[in-house]
Every structure is written in structure tokens, then in C-alpha cells.
Amino acid sequence: MDTFTLFLALRPEQPLDDDAVDSLGAALRPGDDDLRIWREEGRGLLRVATEGSAADLGTALGLAQALGAEALARCPGQLLEVSAMGDEDSLVWRAVP
């Protein structure tokens, strides 16, 4: 199994302040020391990244999509992009081409 960086961009229905982002981080994947959540204020985006182990890049993208579903369940909005990145390649899913 290889380790991949899982990444997503989500546009929340409501603007989030620092406390909301911190609460989401605590609820999303407790115990995930690699989980990072931040917001891009000017663009109104929420970004989430973590690491995951998978057999291949396609499977890792599935893990990233699952992370996106978990994030949407706790922070309604629109999932814009999900990606899995390895040492040599990446796969990206975008809501809009």
C-alpha cells in the first residue's frame, strides 16, 4: 500500500468563521493527526487535506471522495474538487470541467 495526499475544496452554504472550522476539524475525523482544514476567505472556500493508504491512485481518489462526503455531511455546500496525489501522479475530480 502506498500513501496518498487526499485533498478537497468545498464551498459551504454559509460563511465559516475560525470557530466553525475548528469544530468541523474536531468532528470530521477525530484522531486523524494528518487532517488539515482551512478556509480561503476571499474565495469562500473550505479546504481539507489528509493522508491515506491505498493500493493505487484510483482507490485513493475513492478515499478522497469519501472524505468529501463526510465533509458535506457536516458542512453542507457544494463539493467543487476532490483529488488524490501520489509521489508521481495525481487524479482529480471536478464538479465543473
Side-chain angles (χ1 to χ4, degrees), residues 4 7 12 24 28 31-32 39 47 52-53 55 57-58 64 67 77 80:
F4 297 89
F7 179 78
L24 178 61
L28 186 57
D32 183 344
R39 60 190 169 108
R47 304 274 187 176
S53 296
L57 196 53
L67 176 62
L80 301 176

Side-chain angles (χ1 to χ4, degrees), residues 6 10 12-13 15 19-20 24 35 38 40-42 48-49 55 58 61 66 68 73 76 79 83-84 88 95:
L6 312 176
L10 183 148
E13 287 179 354
D19 290 338
L24 178 61
L35 186 71
W38 67 100
E40 289 185 33
E41 291 182 52
V48 179
L61 184 62
L79 192 58
S83 61
E88 298 179 18

Side-chain angles (χ1 to χ4, degrees), residues 52-78:
S53 296
D56 56 44
L57 196 53
T59 303
L61 184 62
L63 295 175
Q65 289 170 322
L67 176 62
E70 290 174 42
L72 279 173
R74 288 172 174 78
C75 180
Q78 181 184 11

